[in-house]
Amino acid sequence: MSHIILGGSANALAIARLLKAPNSIILDFNDCSPAMSTKYAKGLRLLSKNEQEVLETLLSLKAPPPKTLYPTSDYWVEFIAKNSSTLQEHGFLFFKTPYNCSETILDKLKFFQIMSPCFPTPLTRLADKAPTRSEEIIKPRKSFIDSSLVDKGFLYTTKYVRNASTYVKQQRLNSNIYNHLSIAGLFLAGKLHTVIYTRKLLEYPHPGGTAVMVSTIDSEEIRARLRKLAESALRHISYEGIFELEAILEDETLWLIEINGRFWLQHAIGEQLGINFPKLYHQALTGCITPTEAKSRVTALWIHEGLPLAFLKAPSYMKKIVLKELLKKRNWAFAHIDLKDLTPFIKFIRCKLKK
């Protein structure tokens, strides 16, 4: 069997490390991606961003079947959805998500149109050149344009945006970052299979940036509400597979923000709880999955090595939360640091210094 990890970011690195499997390959466009240098997988740089050429490269891989695909970004979710028939014909394993379902979770405007009649969802409309109202923020409509990642972080004007139609204006929720919540794991045959619950503690840039530190959620009440929301929302779009659902708790309302149909950035925190999501994902695709429950009373943190910079630039209330959680929770998972596999971390530092 083979494991084909699509993308080279920190979540791809975590997949390779958790699988520790022979015949693991990481495909990415960026040779500077830290995951490309892990000892647990062979890194293969894609020289062209042309979709047909990417497909041909994937089909030409000399890898023993079955060949499991592990998507780590929205680009790869869309790529698999577009080419699912061809990939299946060539022996690749993945969860076949209908293209309209993929479009729903990838496009923030369509997501609002489909989900808002049934779930509390921030009012979202297509961006324009008109001045942005104080109660709105501007987000990319999709996280990728072609194969290029759109910069993280909220905008407050479209003045310098080349094409406003690639962005949306969305209702601003005033909840602090501690109430940015998520439930993530596997959704199989209309039911949650194995999940974890986390909250964002620090992000960069702020607001609207990538998580730099997340923590497990202790509250049983919040976990139950997230579970109920996830079950209903994922059934509503007929989704199946690996997922992360993000929500914001504000004034007792749990707002549905987005669903990621891929391995999310912090899935390595599952290892601290006794859950190996890449192995469970592979087992689900090969029909031999067994239920796995998180270790009871175990709490954990996921930490990106950009934490010091994000901490320095964070508002004072966020700094207090971070320090409290660091003292409270002793089980830590890092995005890049692993004493048994240090090369990716060294590469991460070198690439950041170059930039």
Side-chain angles (χ1 to χ4, degrees):
M1 67 181 67
S2 306
H3 304 275
I4 316 298
I5 304 166
L6 303 174
S9 57
N11 47 354
L13 177 59
I15 293 171
R17 285 173 170 172
L18 288 167
L19 287 173
K20 292 183 175 65
N23 299 315
S24 292
I25 300 171
I26 293 176
L27 294 182
D28 196 45
F29 298 104
N30 185 5
D31 191 46
C32 201
S33 298
M36 299 285 276
S37 59
T38 179
K39 70 178 185 180
Y40 296 111
K42 177 184 177 182
L44 179 61
R45 184 185 178 191
L46 294 165
L47 300 177
S48 170
K49 293 186 177 182
N50 177 275
E51 185 177 303
Q52 185 58 39
E53 292 182 23
V54 172
L55 179 61
E56 289 172 2
T57 299
L58 198 54
L59 298 182
S60 67
L61 289 177
K62 294 180 180 179
K67 297 172 281 190
T68 303
L69 296 179
Y70 300 79
T72 66
S73 72
D74 288 353
Y75 168 81
W76 289 110
V77 171
E78 187 171 60
F79 175 87
I80 290 173
K82 285 181 177 179
N83 299 283
S84 60
S85 297
T86 302
L87 291 168
Q88 279 192 321
E89 289 171 5
H90 286 79
F92 290 93
L93 296 181
F94 53 91
F95 284 98
K96 191 172 182 180
T97 305
Y99 188 71
N100 61 341
C101 176
S102 295
E103 277 293 289
T104 298
I105 62 178
L106 293 173
D107 184 332
K108 290 180 176 62
L109 183 60
K110 187 170 183 180
F111 185 82
F112 168 76
Q113 293 168 344
I114 298 295
M115 307 304 277
S116 61
C118 304
F119 306 95
T121 310
L123 180 64
T124 304
R125 62 188 179 93
L126 197 62
D128 51 37
K129 291 291 185 179
T132 305
R133 298 194 293 265
S134 60
E135 66 272 16
E136 290 182 319
I137 54 175
I138 300 171
K139 289 181 172 182
R141 185 170 172 176
K142 290 186 175 183
S143 63
F144 277 80
I145 298 176
D146 296 324
S147 61
S148 299
L149 180 66
V150 179
D151 289 339
K152 288 280 189 176
F154 298 155
L155 300 175
Y156 298 98
T157 177
T158 54
K159 183 178 179 181
Y160 304 106
V161 172
R162 183 180 299 176
N163 185 357
S165 66
T166 60
Y167 288 80
V168 293
K169 290 185 176 180
Q170 190 174 85
Q171 174 187 351
R172 182 201 297 264
L173 297 177
N174 294 315
S175 179
N176 72 46
I177 194 171
Y178 192 70
N179 288 324
H180 288 226
L181 315 172
S182 76
I183 174 173
L186 281 166
F187 191 72
L188 306 173
K191 296 181 180 179
L192 293 172
H193 185 276
T194 301
V195 296
I196 58 174
Y197 311 84
T198 58
R199 65 180 357 124
K200 191 184 286 190
L201 301 179
L202 198 61
E203 63 185 1
Y204 187 82
H206 177 73
T210 300
V212 175
M213 183 176 176
V214 302
S215 168
T216 49
I217 294 174
D218 303 326
S219 168
E220 288 294 339
E221 178 189 354
I222 292 177
R223 287 154 65 111
R225 292 184 66 181
L226 283 170
R227 191 176 186 93
K228 182 178 179 180
L229 176 62
E231 286 179 336
S232 299
L234 293 167
R235 285 178 189 148
H236 185 66
I237 58 173
S238 302
Y239 184 81
E240 185 172 44
I242 198 82
F243 79 94
E244 180 194 31
L245 179 147
E246 297 183 26
I248 290 179
L249 182 62
E250 181 184 65
D251 297 331
E252 299 305 314
T253 298
L254 192 60
W255 294 82
L256 174 61
I257 303 301
E258 66 181 27
I259 296 171
N260 295 313
R262 53 175 170 77
F263 281 87
W264 61 104
L265 187 59
Q266 313 89 14
H267 70 87
I269 197 174
E271 187 179 24
Q272 303 296 320
L273 309 176
I275 300 172
N276 187 320
F277 281 111
K279 286 188 176 180
L280 287 174
Y281 173 85
H282 176 72
Q283 290 171 5
L285 286 169
T286 53
C288 56
I289 192 168
T290 54
T292 303
E293 292 293 332
K295 293 178 182 177
S296 60
R297 299 183 181 178
V298 174
T299 58
L301 296 173
W302 178 89
I303 299 171
H304 189 280
E305 290 77 6
L307 184 145
L309 177 61
F311 184 83
L312 288 173
K313 296 191 174 185
S316 57
Y317 85 88
M318 287 171 61
K319 290 178 180 177
K320 291 178 182 178
I321 291 172
V322 167
L323 291 173
K324 180 181 177 181
E325 292 294 312
L326 284 169
L327 292 172
K328 180 181 176 183
K329 295 175 178 174
R330 302 300 175 88
N331 298 298
W332 299 356
F334 289 94
H336 299 95
I337 295 175
D338 184 334
L339 296 180
K340 296 180 181 179
D341 186 33
L342 273 175
T343 307
F345 175 62
I346 295 170
K347 189 171 186 178
F348 167 77
I349 295 297
R350 285 176 177 170
C351 290
K352 291 299 178 184
L353 290 175
K354 280 184 180 180
K355 290 182 179 180

